Structures are given as C-alpha cells and as structure tokens.
Amino acid sequence: MTRIVDATVIITAPGRNYVTLKLTTEDGVVGWGDATLNGRELAVAAYLRDHLCPLLIGRDAHRIEDTWQYLYKGAYWRRGPVTMTAIAAVDVALWDIKGKIAGLPVYQLLGGAARDGVLVYGHASGHDVPSMLDDVARYLDLGYQAVRAQASVPGLEKTYGIPSDGQAVYEPAASARPQEDVWDTAPYLRFAPELLGAVRERFGFGFHLLHDVHHRLSPIEAARLGRDLEQHRLFWMEDPTPAEDQSAFRLIREHTTTPVAVGEVFNSIWDCQQLITERLIDYIRTSVSHSGGITHLRRIFALAELYGVRTGSHGAGDLSPVSLAAALHVDLSVPNFGIQEYMGHASPADEVFHTSYTFSQGSFHPGDAPGLGVEVDERAAAAFPYEPRYLPTNRRRDGSVHDW
Ligand code: EZ4
Ligand code: CO
C-alpha cells in the first residue's frame, strides 16, 4: 500500500496550453499525467480539481486497474473527451509512479520492448507545392522514414495544418474566440492527388507518405480521393470522414485500397468497436491522453490486434511531452504497433518538460529512466500563464458550418 497524499493540477502555456496532473505518494514519489484537451483545457482541469483529485487522496497508488474502474464506472456518466482525458491523466500518473517505485521504465511493466524503436512520422507542409517539397526534403535529411504532407489548397485563404512561416505551431494565436476558416471541398479534391503525386515524383517511393484529410469529406468523396491516391501508395489516408459515423467507412472500404487511419478524436473502445471488428480501418489513432490512459489504450490496441488493425497514435503538439513519453512506452511494447505521430513541441516547452526520450534515424526510444522519464519543472511552468486559444472552425462559402 502506497497512499496518494497529494493531487495537483498545473496549467501552463510554454508555446501552447498544457494541463498536467501531479500525484504524490506518502513516500514522496511523484507521477505525472497529461490532461490537455485542446481548446477545452479548463474543463478538464475543473473535472480533475473538483471531482477526481479529492477521490484520489488516501487511495493506494499501486491499484491502477481498480482506480480506472472506479473513476470510469463510478461516475455513472461514461466516456466523452473531458471525462476520459481526466481519467487518462490519473492513469498515466499512476503508471509513472509504479515504474519509479519498481525502478523500471514503464515499457518494462507493459511486457518489455517488442521492437528496438518506435517509427514516427513528421509533419511536412508548405504554402505551395515547391515549399512543401522543400519541407519533405528537410525531414528526409533529418533521417525520417515517414512523412505526412499537407499544403495550402489553391484558392482558399487558409488551410489547417500549415504553420505561418517560421512558426512551430499551426493553430491560431491566443484569442477569446475561435478563428473561422472558409472551406471548399471541390478544389481540395482536385489538389490533393497533385500534391501527393508531386512528393512521389520528386522523392520516389523509398519512404512512407501520409496525408490528413481532417474529417472533411463525405463517404463517396473519400472513396474517390482514396482511388485517386492509390497510385501514390500512401501509408495512410487519415480521418477521411467525420469519425463518429463508423458505418460510413464501409462505403470507403468498398471502393479503395488506400489504407485508412482514424481515431484521434475517439475517447474509448466503444467509439471504434465497429471500425475494428468489421475491419473498416487499417490504423487506430487513439492516444494515451484522450482515450483513458495506458490502461484503456492497451485494451483498444489488444482488440485491434485480433482484427489485424495496427496502431498509429495521435501525437500532435497539443499532446504534451508527458503524453508523448507515455505513448512511446506503449508503442515499444505492443505487438501490433504501426507508427507514431511526432509533431514536436515549441521550444519553450522544453524549459517546463524535461524528457529522456531519444530520436535516431526516424525512430524514438522512450529511454530507461524509471517511470515515464519525464519531469515537470513547476517553477518554469509558472512563468507561462494560460491564455484562451482555440482550434479554428470551418465554414463553407455559403456561411454554413462544415465538418473538420
Ligand atoms: O487537429 O492535434 O493529426 N493531427 C491533427 C492535429 C489535430 C489537433 C487537435 O487538437 O489532426 O492537428
Ligand atoms: Co489528424
């Protein structure tokens, strides 16, 4: 029995907003969990502070599964991004504590390394095709074996996923309201095959090429795009349609052999049960921090393994270094690992989050420090106060709200 004696929520914005849970045991062992939910940060912070932290005091830090069941089933109200991100933060912090007490990195507690490293893909982008190609070249020169390619759609003023020149983050600046972008599907559907074809034409087929559609198409449009992209041999086409409509993927599947990846917005195994058991996708993108922590993510990945679906966890910059470390421990240990997204973090983040994962030749290793291998400098965190920031929203040319 190792009692939890303190549970604190830290909100900091080194480059962007992050919410971090700190759990402390009676022996002074500290565990960290990422509770960041992009654009809804304070809702998770309140869920933790007001509802979960008081329940954790006095509980045995070693009883990870029991704590997960207690927080999930005990709430009566299940699932949803706020609840599952809060539970994830508790779960990840408890795995961190268990590893530190055992003197082992978390991946050893999960069964040990099933591979030598974790293949990651980087984010290449540009305001036009030539600048996007230069960015792909930059990633390949850095040793990446997998690259996601996005470029501004001609005729649209802004395209999500493309940073302003010199910026590490592509989302809008701090503001009390979300920015509104204009979306037009027809030019995108014409442009996307051209953009990905340009990458293959210049760099060939000796690396993995990925593309994110960001939920913007109807099923038949996604089927068309998948067909048009077949010749470019994508590693995956990500989030082709709004992800909550699981049966829509059957239609895409019937028309194309381009592999499909979905799940960065999912929070539980129930959100992807049909997609997995009916083999409607190739990669499941659920993440440690938005899908109930290591405990629940392992359950999703185990279900996926039964059906030949591989993992491809979300790893954008809004998932903190604590999340990335947790993801790498899981990725290293699961048999059906596919790939891990790696976008990196804006430079002030490394003043707050001290990490021990390492990158070499397109792969990461979580390191062998006990626990997750991430420590948070609370004093540094205090120097970066929260400011409201939102993901953009999307409207069609006629002013109506569009999926994104
Ligand atoms: O929109 O991380 O694949 N990555 C993505 C990201 C997500 C954000 C959501 O917070 O789609 O850019
Ligand atoms: Co995405």
Side-chain angles (χ1 to χ4, degrees):
M1 172 82 148
T2 304
R3 281 182 211 283
I4 300 167
V5 294
D6 191 55
T8 312
V9 177
I10 297 159
I11 306 175
T12 179
R16 63 174 316 127
N17 292 316
Y18 294 113
V19 179
T20 307
L21 176 68
K22 178 188 183 187
L23 298 183
T24 309
T25 71
E26 57 191 338
D27 302 320
V29 178
V30 169
W32 302 103
D34 180 20
T36 310
L37 185 62
N38 200 1
R40 297 291 185 273
E41 294 89 354
L42 301 185
V44 184
Y47 193 105
L48 282 166
R49 277 179 180 153
D50 297 343
H51 303 293
L52 299 197
C53 290
L55 302 181
L56 295 173
I57 306 304
R59 289 184 69 81
D60 183 355
H62 277 305
R63 296 185 64 174
I64 298 178
E65 181 69 41
D66 182 67
T67 300
W68 196 96
Q69 299 293 335
Y70 176 68
L71 298 181
Y72 181 80
K73 294 179 179 166
Y76 186 66
W77 312 106
R78 297 183 183 190
R79 306 160 57 187
V82 175
T83 298
M84 297 304 277
T85 302
I87 293 176
V90 175
D91 184 78
V92 170
L94 292 178
W95 280 100
D96 192 18
I97 287 171
K98 196 181 277 296
K100 284 170 174 164
I101 292 174
L104 291 170
V106 167
Y107 76 81
Q108 294 291 14
L109 307 181
L110 302 177
R115 57 190 49 74
D116 298 331
V118 172
L119 175 72
V120 298
Y121 68 92
H123 281 205
S125 62
H127 290 295
D128 51 23
V129 170
S131 61
M132 177 274 299
L133 292 174
D134 289 347
D135 211 27
V136 173
R138 188 171 64 84
Y139 279 98
L140 296 177
D141 288 347
L142 288 168
Y144 281 80
Q145 302 167 42
V147 182
R148 178 185 108 157
Q150 312 287 132
S152 301
V153 178
L156 296 186
E157 196 188 323
K158 290 199 185 72
T159 305
Y160 180 69
I162 316 296
S164 308
D165 292 330
Q167 299 289 304
V169 176
Y170 53 62
E171 290 154 18
S175 163
R177 283 169 195 276
Q179 162 189 307
E180 297 196 351
D181 295 347
V182 173
W183 176 252
D184 195 344
T185 300
Y188 168 74
L189 280 180
R190 286 194 300 272
F191 176 63
E194 182 191 319
L195 129 80
L196 294 157
V199 177
R200 287 305 194 198
E201 195 177 316
R202 174 147 159 211
F203 301 103
F205 289 81
F207 65 99
H208 301 303
L209 177 60
L210 299 80
H211 181 67
D212 191 352
V213 183
H214 225 273
H215 316 282
R216 288 163 193 230
L217 302 179
S218 71
I220 201 68
E221 289 164 348
R224 158 64 61 204
L225 179 62
R227 271 197 187 184
D228 289 349
L229 296 178
E230 278 171 20
Q231 57 182 315
H232 306 313
R233 293 288 188 272
L234 259 58
F235 186 90
W236 76 36
M237 170 171 77
E238 176 180 334
D239 289 337
T241 55
E244 65 268 38
D245 185 359
Q246 295 186 53
S247 63
F249 286 80
R250 200 175 296 128
L251 195 147
I252 303 170
R253 216 48 168 170
E254 282 164 0
H255 291 284
T256 179
T257 57
T258 293
V260 175
V262 182
E264 64 182 56
V265 297
F266 292 159
N267 318 118
S268 78
I269 200 166
W270 309 106
D271 300 329
C272 47
Q273 183 182 23
Q274 184 183 9
L275 289 173
I276 291 171
T277 59
E278 295 185 18
R279 303 174 196 270
L280 303 180
I281 56 172
D282 301 280
Y283 296 91
I284 181 68
R285 280 181 47 73
T286 41
S287 68
V288 165
S289 59
H290 298 140
S291 298
I294 291 172
T295 297
H296 194 64
L297 190 66
R298 281 216 296 172
R299 208 151 273 149
I300 296 173
F301 287 179
L303 177 70
E305 190 206 351
L306 284 181
Y307 294 92
V309 174
R310 292 198 286 158
T311 76
S313 283
H314 188 207
D318 53 297
L319 289 85
S320 90
V322 176
S323 255
L324 178 62
L328 295 174
H329 286 281
V330 175
D331 293 340
L332 199 69
S333 65
V334 293
N336 54 327
F337 170 74
I339 201 166
Q340 169 68 47
E341 183 177 19
Y342 174 67
M343 187 178 155
H345 300 95
S347 57
D350 54 23
E351 295 173 28
V352 174
F353 300 96
H354 300 173
T355 58
S356 41
Y357 43 71
T358 52
F359 176 83
S360 167
Q361 291 303 306
S363 287
F364 268 90
H365 191 282
D368 283 299
L372 295 172
V374 180
E375 292 304 321
V376 180
D377 183 335
E378 291 177 76
R379 196 185 297 229
F384 300 102
Y386 166 84
E387 40 184 14
R389 275 175 188 262
Y390 290 96
L391 289 158
T393 58
N394 228 1
R395 290 187 189 273
R396 300 179 195 92
R397 292 204 188 278
D398 70 358
S400 55
V401 175
H402 187 63
D403 295 296
W404 86 285

